[in-house]
Amino acid sequence: MTTSIPDISAAIDRLRTGGVVAFPTETVYGLGADAFNQAAVRRVFQLKGRPAINPLIVHVSGPEMATRVVAEWTDDAAALARAFWPGPLTIVLPKADRVPAIVTAGGPTVGVRCPDHPVALALLFGLGSPLVGPSANLSGQISPTDAEHVRQSFRPEDVLVLEGGPCRTGIESTVVSLADRARVLRRGMIAAGEIAAVIGRPVAEPSDVGLATAAPSTGPLPSPGQLPRHYAPRSPARLFDSPDLPALLRDPALAQRGAVVIAYDGPPVTPPHRLIRMPRDPQDYAYQMYAALREADALKPAIILVQRPPRDPGLWEAISDRLRRATSPA
Ligand code: TXA
Ligand code: MG
């Protein structure tokens, strides 16, 4: 279950020779490679099937290592790191010249984060070098919150998977840009208001307009990774509001394979339909969300029906963001 010291040293050897290692963090598992090794970073893009226009974030052991990948470690960045690192906050700043262009998809900025997980930190301190670390899933698919999820996506000869058990947080880091005005690019456990309180100036929130627009075909994405369809199961999936469920389940098209309903309300669901009951607490919900989507998908239903989360601020907004993308039409 837990990763032993020999595993960590084997992982460090792999990384030193340009290999790829999946590592646990408090949010989701990351697909790690030496950020300064272009060939290794290219391999991460290939293994994930990730479009070259979507930049990778860089994991660091702390502020000292962060100063090696950004052009300038600003006072605001230092204050945010003091408040939230190690933890689920990725800070976007102008990049240092030495960071290979492939890492940032040719863009002028880089995202850095210090993960709050003993295995990830042991790896970073042991290697002494920053690691790129996108979520360890195939591009567009459901993020991995357990080592087993990672092993389902990659062959052992391609990726050494460090075991760390289920991820504590279960939802990817908040991404905040300090490159020009402060703004949240991806919602997460840490809210814009908490960031604003630390840096003492307003922090813009994502507008969500990107959901309606297609991704550009060239150049780095304007709000990278915020593609309309993402975190998505293979089965068709859609959100529902509680009162609409009975009518949805009567659809004759669902009579054979049935629907899987993911809901926190515990509505009545009878065969051939199945219910995955979710907690009402947003932290517990986030912890179980990706595993629930995977479980639903594995049942190969006619459709996955996901109850629309409460319209509450904070973590529920981050959860809603992921679920809207997971259920966005292909
Ligand atoms: O919690 C996390 O952030 C996890 C764990 C493994 O650390 N990592 C993760 O990486 O979620 P990824 O690649 O799946 O998502 C990173 C997000 C993407 O939406 C990407 O487009 C965005 O951050 N991003 C990366 N570099 C950026 C940059 N320079 N400017 C703006 N957005 C950036
Ligand atoms: Mg991802």
Side-chain angles (χ1 to χ4, degrees):
M1 178 69 179
T2 44
T3 293
S4 61
I5 300 295
D7 292 338
I8 300 252
S9 41
I12 290 169
D13 286 347
R14 264 289 180 124
L15 293 167
R16 288 222 167 99
T17 53
V20 175
V21 171
F23 59 95
T25 80
E26 79 282 31
T27 60
V28 302
Y29 278 70
L31 199 58
D34 180 345
F36 294 131
N37 182 330
Q38 291 196 52
V41 175
R42 195 170 308 119
R43 191 85 186 109
V44 169
F45 276 96
Q46 280 167 355
L47 286 168
K48 270 185 71 85
R50 183 172 176 115
I53 56 171
N54 193 357
L56 303 182
I57 68 169
V58 173
H59 293 74
V60 293
S61 55
E64 191 274 326
M65 194 180 276
T67 61
R68 289 162 52 192
V69 292
V70 302
E72 187 196 350
W73 188 241
T74 61
D75 290 347
D76 282 350
L80 289 177
R82 265 196 306 278
F84 300 116
W85 280 7
L89 183 69
T90 297
I91 303 171
V92 173
L93 285 167
K95 79 178 201 57
D97 290 341
R98 68 169 76 84
V99 175
I102 186 171
V103 172
T104 63
T109 60
V110 64
V112 284
R113 149 166 144 81
C114 176
D116 187 11
H117 195 290
V119 174
L121 289 171
L123 202 57
L124 287 161
F125 279 109
L127 185 69
S129 180
L131 287 173
V132 294
S135 52
N137 52 278
L138 301 178
S139 188
Q141 297 187 8
I142 305 170
S143 296
T145 49
D146 209 319
E148 180 53 31
H149 300 161
V150 184
R151 287 192 290 265
Q152 286 163 9
S153 301
F154 303 101
R155 300 182 310 173
E157 46 293 21
D158 291 330
V159 179
L160 186 159
V161 182
L162 286 174
E163 184 62 61
C167 299
R168 200 164 73 238
T169 302
I171 190 168
E172 302 85 349
S173 62
T174 302
V175 179
V176 65
S177 173
L178 300 179
D180 35 47
R181 72 199 170 107
R183 69 191 167 110
V184 168
L185 301 176
R186 177 176 72 184
R187 289 190 167 101
M189 188 68 82
I190 296 169
E194 294 177 78
I195 298 169
V198 171
I199 63 176
R201 57 193 171 100
V203 176
E205 302 224 40
S207 59
D208 295 331
V209 286
L211 272 178
T213 50
S217 51
T218 54
L221 298 167
S223 181
Q226 296 301 73
L227 296 169
R229 186 173 167 81
H230 209 82
Y231 317 108
R234 288 165 214 263
S235 315
R238 57 163 288 184
L239 291 173
F240 70 89
D241 292 297
S242 244
D244 302 334
L245 185 64
L248 286 168
L249 291 179
R250 280 195 300 272
D251 182 344
L254 306 184
Q256 287 247 305
R257 279 189 292 155
V260 171
V261 178
I262 299 180
Y264 52 85
D265 255 1
V269 171
T270 51
H273 311 303
R274 286 151 293 185
L275 173 68
I276 298 178
R277 181 75 187 268
M278 296 298 284
R280 281 174 161 279
D281 174 82
Q283 298 216 7
D284 296 340
Y285 191 107
Y287 175 72
Q288 292 179 32
M289 174 173 64
Y290 288 131
L293 285 170
R294 280 172 188 269
E295 184 188 337
D297 216 12
L299 294 168
K300 299 199 177 7
I303 193 167
I304 302 173
L305 297 171
V306 186
Q307 183 176 12
R308 195 183 302 282
R311 288 185 176 76
D312 290 351
L315 185 53
W316 277 121
E317 280 179 309
I319 291 167
S320 290
D321 170 85
R322 305 306 192 278
L323 291 177
R324 276 199 310 272
R325 291 175 211 281
T327 57
S328 167

